[in-house]
Amino acid sequence: MHSLRLDYTDRAVLWTSQGAVWLAVGLLLVVITGSYYWYLAEETALVAEKIEAARQHTGRERMGKEKLTEELKTFRADIKESQTVLGQLTIPWDPLFIAVEQVGGRHIDRIALMAIHPDVGEQRVVIEGRSADFDVLMDFVTQLAEFDIIRHAYLSRHQREDKDRDKPVRFSIVAEWNVRS
């Protein structure tokens, strides 16, 4: 039989070969995990910078597109206004006024012209005025239609008003003009 050895002191073993191996493995895992964390942090920073650059680029493009849209709206408004002015300039005013003045001169005391409104798109003018009676008005419309510049002339509206004794018939005539070639 063996002798019994009893040791009642608390003796701690600080280093064993197995403990040193596990310590080395643990430190190696900490270093690997730390370096991988550092690598991911760098990648995240690069991706965040690229996202911010893309946002700024997109913001600049959006601002550029908005600016272009506003400029396009301005240009369209300018073009529309230019077309309106060009249309006003292409109205054959001289022949129209000559026709209206000659016919109006024949009925100088019986018809009073109040306004002439052009409609460039429809190539017509609306002539508003007052007449002494309906027969004089119809004669005015008939004589106006005889001019070469006038394609059609017709009475579009008339109304008798007894307030004005000299010219009680209020009227509107629509006259379409011929296009010059």
Side-chain angles (χ1 to χ4, degrees):
M1 209 156 181
H2 293 239
S3 63
L4 191 60
R5 221 173 121 194
L6 296 171
D7 188 6
Y8 293 108
T9 62
D10 195 14
R11 212 175 77 184
V13 178
L14 294 177
W15 291 99
T16 63
S17 59
Q18 190 180 15
V21 169
W22 283 113
L23 178 63
V25 169
L27 287 176
L28 181 65
L29 288 175
V30 167
V31 168
I32 290 172
T33 305
S35 65
Y36 188 64
Y37 178 78
W38 178 78
Y39 170 75
L40 289 179
E42 289 291 318
E43 287 293 317
T44 303
L46 287 174
V47 169
E49 287 176 10
K50 288 180 182 179
I51 289 173
E52 185 60 32
R55 282 185 184 155
Q56 289 177 354
H57 181 70
T58 304
R60 274 187 250 125
E61 282 183 357
R62 187 180 315 121
M63 287 176 52
K65 286 179 182 177
E66 289 172 357
K67 183 178 177 184
L68 286 176
T69 302
E70 290 299 320
E71 288 177 358
L72 184 60
K73 287 179 183 177
T74 303
F75 288 146
R76 284 182 180 161
D78 290 345
I79 289 170
K80 188 174 182 179
E81 184 176 339
S82 299
Q83 288 174 336
T84 303
V85 170
L86 183 62
Q88 292 290 332
L89 291 174
T90 60
I91 296 174
W93 284 114
D94 290 340
L96 285 172
F97 279 137
I98 289 171
V100 171
E101 286 177 356
Q102 284 184 2
V103 174
R106 295 177 194 154
H107 305 287
I108 196 159
D109 293 334
R110 315 263 315 166
I111 288 188
L113 299 179
M114 296 168 41
I116 297 177
H117 304 285
D119 184 352
V120 178
E122 299 290 325
Q123 295 181 338
R124 66 183 178 191
V125 291
V126 177
I127 303 168
E128 295 180 358
R130 293 181 163 278
S131 173
D133 61 36
F134 190 74
D135 293 333
V136 171
L137 175 59
M138 292 310 296
D139 188 43
F140 180 84
V141 173
T142 304
Q143 289 179 9
L144 189 63
E146 293 174 358
F147 281 83
D148 291 337
I149 191 67
I150 305 294
R151 182 173 43 205
H152 301 289
Y154 55 90
L155 182 64
S156 67
R157 180 182 62 81
H158 72 283
Q159 178 180 359
R160 183 163 179 83
E161 296 178 353
D162 291 328
K163 292 186 278 183
D164 188 356
R165 293 181 187 203
D166 292 335
K167 296 177 181 72
V169 180
R170 186 179 189 100
F171 65 87
S172 289
I173 298 171
V174 175
E176 298 175 0
W177 69 77
N178 287 318
V179 179
R180 290 183 275 177
S181 24

